[in-house]
Every structure is written in structure tokens, then in C-alpha cells.
Amino acid sequence: MSGRESKENRRRFLLRAAGAGALLGAGAAGGIVVHRQMPRARAGRGVTARLKPGRGYDLEALAQVDPALIGYRRDLRFSTGMKAARGLAVTEAGEVLVAGDHGYARFSATGEALLAEPIDDSARAVWWDSESGAVWVAGERRVYRFAATGGLEAQWPMPYEGAHARITSIATSAGAVFLAIEERRRGHVLRCSMDGETAEPLFEPNPEEGVLPILSPSPYVDLGVTSEGHILVGNLGQCQVQLFSATGNLLAAWGRSSFAIDGFCGCCNPVCVAALPDGRVVTGEKGLKRVKIYRTSGELDVVIAAPAEFSAAAQAGEPDPQKLKGLDVAVRSDGAVVVLDQTDATVHVMLPVTEADSEFQIVGRA
Amino acid sequence: MDKEQKNSSDRMTRRSFIRSSARGVLLTGTGWTLGYLGGRGTAEEWVWQIDPSKCIYCENCATACVLSPSAVKCVHEFEICGYCRLCTGFFVPDSIALDESAENQVCPTNAVVRKFIEDPYYQYSINEDNCFGCGRCALGCNAFGNGSLYLQIRHDRCVNCNQCAIALTCPTEAIRRVPKSRPYDKKLQVQEENPQGGESEA
Ligand code: SF4
Ligand code: SF4
Ligand code: SF4
């Protein structure tokens, strides 16, 4: 073979190799593109199941409340600055106590932070003792008593066995401390001595006699105390408010599950209860954040706050399962209702709408 | 002789043309296969999953998946569940009765199965063959209950598209890639990893 011929052969070989490389490359590029585009290409295919309208939860519609039923207006709203605000109480002077994170904080009636005191575990609930002025704070499994002027005075462990038990609410009445406890979706109320040395159940359930057991699908069993010293229990799993004497006799029980404004929505409400001086009961719900007043007979009296009162982040259906969802309520001696929104850790002070307010609104609107 | 030589060279050209074409097709096909597998290979290290803290149960998952029915299914995390008699993931709002009649159920395909455990507790599980991922049950459960029902892409059927078709249209960008070794976003697992984020309702 001459040198000229071998040169020609090399040139031909190189040309062929380049051509083959180009073809391989083009093929590979095509393959990648097809793989990338495949979902879009297939997305047009039909879906067997067709969605039928009207079967699910229309959260917007459920959250609507007839404005004519709302008898309170917001006077003040302030942030507690807490990550997890859990419980609320109000003193005689209108100071606001909030249990949250690892302690409790005291705010003036106008929302200025006055004091913050720590506890050893997560704070769940707080109570202001009108007889002594002491502040009682419940951790998950411990009870703490702070002096009226601040400073820890005493603490004792939850007097209840059960690895999964935790305190959800605390109250004092008739020289006793009452603890609401949740354990494995069941609730209990203990009447304890002030030093925590002795404790006994407030009542034994007896469904035949209408004393339903406390069910607690989520940890929100709440307590309140009436001006007569009776104990209000928010039996959320039964959608009931129960009223017991301090010695454990059932005095009243009412409530039903319903999304209608006079019911307690969903499976687990009310999540908080408090008593007005005249015996009417304030309730708060999660899911649809509604705060309402019921007469002692269990009829709806007035709506304090509709879901629209609370921030967008606190509305039903907001996708944040890591947030607390509930409310807590307390009553001020002048009739104001104070609400803690756990979702964004804010306090709302609600005042009854007076005739003067209505006139102002009418004038304002005109 | 000239004519004969020309004919013979023509025959050679046709043959070589066919040979070259076949070689070209073979090479392109090999390249295509390699490219396709290469594309898949990189996607297989990661899989698509729904972040339950972002999902708003918009019903898009039921229709946007390339599979029919959707690879998205409702899952039930029993550790969070309240075992309620009145489950808002099972019953329509203010249902006529608290029983299993179809008209009382929020699920359009009766895919949520209600089973009595002990008074007054019931267990709710998902029949995945009937579930098409509309999320109506999960919406009710998350809005009013403990949020134990939620949507996840099930990897026994998801084909792990290079670009998930649902992710393209998800209004809250809830769909993201997660390592194949941890293909599900369990709510409690997320909370354990982020204890400052809040508390479990359960
Ligand atoms: S598209 Fe997004 S928000 Fe809608 S249901 Fe699917 S994951 Fe949830
Ligand atoms: S309601 Fe929708 S997401 Fe829930 S089980 Fe039924 S089909 Fe599945
Ligand atoms: S990756 Fe594909 S198959 Fe999987 S959920 Fe998304 S669209 Fe459906």
C-alpha cells in the first residue's frame, strides 16, 4: 500500500468515527429529552375517578357566622412572644397570665410584659387563685405555685401514675387544686390537696346516670370554676360541658357535636371553658375557631368571636400540623372575655358591644 | 469494461449505503438507550414526596398524576389518631348518622374503612385500591381532628418521573424530592427532628 493510500484510509476512518460519534450523541440527547418530557406527554391521559362536588368540607362556608349573633368586639390584641402559648388566666386587676414554653408570663391589662418566671418542663396551664392571689402553673407532669408578687413557693409532682399521662388544665376552688389529666385519649379530673399530698378522682363516670366519661382525642380537657365554686369540665370527646359540685356531684351536662353555630364542631370540642360571674359559660373551639357564651341551660346566648376574628394562620385547614391549634379563654371581672389563640400565641381582649358601640358603627358606616 | 466497472461501483455504493444506514440506526438506538437509562439512573437516587406540612388538600393530586388512578394515596399515621367515634376524615359535616352508610362518608369511593375497636373507639384505615388521592378525608381530619390522615406518594406505584407532573401544578410547592432511602414524610418523624417547631396534638 502506498503512503498516499494509507493517508486516504486514515482520513476515511476518522470521518466515519466522527459520524458514528455524532449519531451516538444525537441518540443520547434524544433519549434524555424523551425521558424528561415523558410525564408531560403522559399527563393528558384520563383519570378514572371523577371528583364529585359537595361531599367534602367547605371550610370557608363553615366559618361563616351570622353577624347578628356576634355580641362582642375586639378591644385589644397583643402577642405573647412565645413559641408555644398554651394556657391563660386573668387576675382581679385584669392582668393577663399566659403559660407557655417553659414558664409563665404576666402582662398588664394593656398588654405590656411585666414578669416571666420559668418552670422545669413545658408549661401547659395557668390559674390565678382569687383567694390567695397565688399563680398556679401546670407543667406536663408537675404543679408549681408562685407567690402573688412573683417567686416560686412550692412545687409537687402530678399525683397520678401513668407513663403517658399529662396535665392539661389546673384550677383551684374550695381549698383544693383540681387537675385535668389526659392519658391515652381518656380524661380524668383529680381533686388534690393544696400541697399535692392527697388526690382523688372528682367523679366516677356513670353513663346510665348521665355522667359520661371524659374522652380526649386531643389533649385539651379544660377546667373552669363558677362564682359558686362549682367545677366546669370541657369534655371535648363527648362535645359536652359538664358542671360538677366541688365534691363531684353532676349538676348539669349539655352540648352536641354540630357545625351549626349552637353546636361544638367536629369530634373534639370545646377545647376550653370559663364561667362568667352570672353562671353563663364561655366556650372556645378549635378547627372552626369560635368563642361563644351559653346560658346555664345549654342554649347559645351570644357569639363572642367568629373564625374571622383570628389571623389567617389560625384558620381551619391551614397546613401546619406542627402548630398548636386551640384556644384558651378566661373572664375578666368587668365581663371582658380574654382569648388566647395558641396558633400564633396572641391574646385577644373582647368586650361586649354596647349601644354606644352600635350607634358609632351605624354612624361610621353611614 | 468501463461500463462493467461503473455497474460494479454502483452496486458497491448501494451496499455500503445500506450498511452505513444500518450502522447509523444501531448507533443512534444505542445512544438513545444509554441516554434514557442515564436519565433514569440519576433520578433513582431521589424520589418525589409530599411535604404534609405544606399540602392544603386542593384535590389536584387526584388528577395531575400521570398514573390513573393517581400514585398519591391517603395514609393514616395511627400514632397521631384520636380513634374518634365521630371522625371528621370519615363523616361529612353534620352527617345524618354516625354509621357507615355511603351518604355519611366524606370519601367519594368509600376508601376509608371504619372498624369498631372498643366503646367508643374506632379505627380508620385506607383501602388503597379505592383511594385516588383527592385528600377530602385528610382535609376534614386536619381541619378538625388530629391530622393523622394525610397524602403521600406511594412508591409501590409511583414511576418516579424525572419531573413529577403534580409538582408542576401544586399550588403550595408541597412536592419535593427526598432521598430514596427515606421515601416517606411521616408527620411525627418531622416533629421529632424539629422539636422546637411545636407539639403533637396526639
Ligand atoms: S397538589 Fe399539592 S397542595 Fe394539592 S393535594 Fe397535591 S400536594 Fe397537596
Ligand atoms: S377521600 Fe380521597 S384521599 Fe381520602 S381515602 Fe377517599 S379517595 Fe383517598
Ligand atoms: S412522579 Fe409521576 S407517577 Fe409519581 S406521583 Fe408524580 S406524576 Fe405521579
Side-chain angles (χ1 to χ4, degrees), chain B residues 23-178:
Chain B
R23 213 179 287 139
V25 167
L26 197 73
L27 283 168
T28 313
T30 311
W32 192 94
T33 309
L34 286 174
Y36 184 80
L37 291 178
R40 269 187 78 82
T42 48
E44 268 169 7
E45 301 302 312
W46 299 83
V47 290
W48 296 97
Q49 194 46 273
I50 299 171
D51 177 348
S53 72
K54 286 188 175 168
C55 175
I56 55 167
Y57 316 108
C58 69
E59 301 194 355
N60 185 38
C61 272
T63 50
C65 177
V66 299
L67 299 180
S68 178
S70 172
V72 174
K73 305 286 169 198
C74 180
V75 297
H76 199 183
E77 197 166 333
F78 289 116
E79 297 97 310
I80 304 175
C81 178
Y83 296 92
C84 310
R85 184 167 156 260
L86 192 175
C87 169
T88 47
F90 185 84
F91 290 108
V92 290
D94 292 341
S95 62
I96 303 161
L98 296 186
D99 63 28
E100 290 80 35
S101 321
E103 72 267 24
N104 294 325
Q105 296 187 36
V106 79
C107 177
T109 55
N110 303 354
V112 185
V113 180
R114 183 177 192 246
K115 186 176 149 206
F116 177 74
I117 301 291
E118 57 159 344
D119 192 42
Y121 296 110
Y122 289 78
Q123 180 183 286
Y124 299 86
S125 51
I126 308 299
N127 176 351
E128 289 196 346
D129 289 340
N130 288 359
C131 175
F132 64 106
C134 70
R136 287 179 183 184
C137 55
L139 175 63
C141 174
N142 282 267
F144 301 105
N146 287 335
S148 53
L149 293 171
Y150 53 97
L151 295 179
Q152 290 281 276
I153 294 172
R154 297 292 275 140
H155 295 296
D156 57 347
R157 51 203 89 200
C158 170
V159 295
N160 199 22
C161 311
N162 206 29
Q163 168 60 67
C164 172
I166 311 173
L168 290 173
T169 50
C170 174
T172 58
E173 296 180 1
I175 299 185
R176 61 197 170 131
R177 286 198 137 136
V178 296

Side-chain angles (χ1 to χ4, degrees), chain A residues 52 55 57 166 185 219 319, chain B residues 53 81 91 105 136 201-202:
Chain A
K52 295 177 215 152
R55 281 185 74 105
Y57 285 80
R166 50 185 161 174
R185 314 182 205 291
Chain B
S53 72
C81 178
F91 290 108
Q105 296 187 36
R136 287 179 183 184
E201 294 281 308

Side-chain angles (χ1 to χ4, degrees), chain A residues 241-252:
Chain A
V241 173
Q242 294 168 310
L243 180 67
F244 293 93
S245 69
T247 52
N249 294 320
L250 182 71
L251 304 174

Side-chain angles (χ1 to χ4, degrees), chain A residues 13-35:
Chain A
F13 172 78
L14 283 175
L15 268 175
R16 274 197 192 149
L23 283 170
L24 255 177
I32 289 168
V33 166
V34 166
H35 183 257

Side-chain angles (χ1 to χ4, degrees), chain A residues 188-254:
Chain A
H188 311 275
V189 179
L190 295 185
R191 184 180 46 226
C192 314
S193 58
M194 295 299 251
D195 56 7
E197 290 292 323
T198 59
E200 58 182 349
L202 173 63
F203 68 94
E204 292 297 341
N206 183 353
E208 271 117 60
E209 298 290 318
V211 188
L212 298 184
I214 302 174
L215 302 181
S216 173
S218 47
Y220 287 99
V221 186
D222 196 33
L223 301 176
V225 175
T226 68
S227 52
E228 292 156 313
H230 300 324
I231 310 299
L232 279 172
V233 179
N235 188 340
L236 66 162
Q238 309 275 13
C239 290
Q240 254 201 3
V241 173
Q242 294 168 310
L243 180 67
F244 293 93
S245 69
T247 52
N249 294 320
L250 182 71
L251 304 174
W254 46 264

